[in-house]
Amino acid sequence: MTQQYPQPPAQGQPMQPMQPMLPPKKKHTAPKVIGIIALLGLIGLVSCVAMLGKAANDVGKSIEQDQQKNAPRAVVVGKAFTIGKHETLAGWKVTKDAQASGARAGADPGAELHPGRYVRQVRQGHC
């Protein structure tokens, strides 16, 4: 094999100075890749925190609604009221009940073991 050397310029052409060979530029891909991965991780972390915050807020609202649903309510004897799906019509009253008060079977209905226990009595034809 013969080695090829640069040929001198032909007669009549000016000689151009040789440009120095510069080393190729480094592409610095590693810092770019690490930066992109860090950015994606940060976006993922922020979205997870947002979803957890939304879920916690929804649970808090649900608990509050449940507490409001089970809160005691003022009821006037004889007036109609509705609690959830339970509807009580007007005309109801509170009476003493021998079974609810703990009276024994066959005992005098007026004798009560636990006075003060009351149950509501529903008008006939209404449940």
Side-chain angles (χ1 to χ4, degrees):
M1 281 195 165
T2 62
Q3 290 183 344
Q4 300 233 348
Y5 295 103
Q7 299 290 326
Q11 299 238 347
Q13 290 183 350
M15 190 167 181
Q16 294 180 351
M18 218 170 201
Q19 295 180 357
M21 297 284 283
L22 297 174
K25 292 183 178 180
K26 293 183 180 179
K27 296 186 182 191
H28 303 291
T29 56
K32 290 178 184 177
V33 170
I34 291 172
I36 290 171
I37 290 173
L39 182 64
L40 290 175
L42 182 64
I43 290 171
L45 180 67
V46 169
S47 63
C48 285
V49 168
M51 286 190 296
L52 285 174
K54 173 83 169 108
N57 189 23
D58 290 346
V59 168
K61 285 181 181 178
S62 174
I63 289 172
E64 185 177 307
Q65 288 174 350
D66 210 27
Q67 288 175 346
Q68 288 176 354
K69 183 169 59 172
N70 294 328
R73 291 173 174 78
V75 177
V76 178
V77 175
K79 294 208 174 192
F81 65 92
T82 303
I83 298 177
K85 293 181 181 178
H86 177 76
E87 182 180 348
T88 303
L89 302 174
W92 65 274
K93 61 184 176 179
V94 178
T95 61
K96 289 185 180 181
D97 185 13
Q99 289 179 344
S101 64
R104 293 185 205 131
D108 180 21
E112 295 184 25
L113 296 176
H114 302 285
R117 283 191 175 173
Y118 295 97
V119 295
R120 68 178 174 86
Q121 179 181 9
V122 180
R123 290 190 307 173
Q124 284 186 338
H126 301 286
C127 292

